[in-house]
């Protein structure tokens, strides 16, 4: 007969891990400056909306795409040096 395979449903532990990682990331993004936070969230669609291009973000904010790029790079640099993110990333790689 017909069977349900695990492929149709996410593994519970995988979903819990993904949710935990998302909470951590959103918490750390919340510590950025408002402009940095806005650009990062819109750039990757972290607010459940589709990811946006720098051009889209610059039009929305009425600033240059270069300004958006600089803000994005500054925010990513801060996030890459964030101890909580580094620790979690290290744990993820060990698993």
């Amino acid at each position: 007969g017909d069977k349900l395979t695990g492929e149709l449903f996410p593994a519970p532990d995988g979903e819990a891990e993904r949710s935990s990682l998302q909470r951590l990331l959103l918490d750390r993004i919340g510590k950025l400056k408002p402009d940095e936070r806005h650009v990062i969230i819109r750039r990757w669609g972290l607010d459940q909306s589709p990811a946006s291009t720098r051009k889209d973000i610059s039009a929305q904010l009425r600033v240059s795409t270069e300004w958006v790029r600089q803000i994005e790079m500054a925010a990513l640099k801060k996030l890459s040096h964030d101890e909580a993110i580094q620790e979690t990333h290290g744990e993820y790689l060990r698993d």
Side-chain angles (χ1 to χ4, degrees):
D2 294 325
K3 291 193 229 179
L4 291 177
T5 65
E7 295 173 10
L8 297 176
F9 303 98
D13 58 338
E15 187 61 37
E17 184 175 308
R18 193 171 14 265
S19 177
S20 177
L21 288 171
Q22 184 178 20
R23 279 193 308 274
L24 170 72
L25 184 57
L26 290 175
D27 175 64
R28 304 321 289 175
I29 288 171
K31 308 239 185 267
L32 296 172
K33 293 178 182 177
D35 290 338
E36 294 169 334
R37 184 172 46 246
H38 179 80
V39 168
I40 293 298
I41 288 172
R42 296 291 302 148
R43 192 78 170 100
W44 281 277
L46 299 175
D47 58 354
Q48 306 304 318
S49 66
S52 298
T53 64
R54 290 182 187 136
K55 184 177 179 180
D56 292 339
I57 297 168
S58 68
Q60 178 189 25
L61 297 177
R62 295 188 173 119
V63 297
S64 71
T65 54
E66 178 59 19
W67 183 86
V68 171
R69 187 194 69 75
Q70 289 175 8
I71 293 296
E72 178 186 358
M73 293 300 111
L76 291 175
K77 184 176 181 179
K78 287 179 184 180
L79 292 172
S80 72
H81 291 97
D82 185 281
E83 287 182 26
I85 291 175
Q86 287 180 350
E87 181 180 322
T88 302
H89 182 259
E91 289 173 7
Y92 183 75
L93 291 178
R94 283 191 293 268
D95 289 345

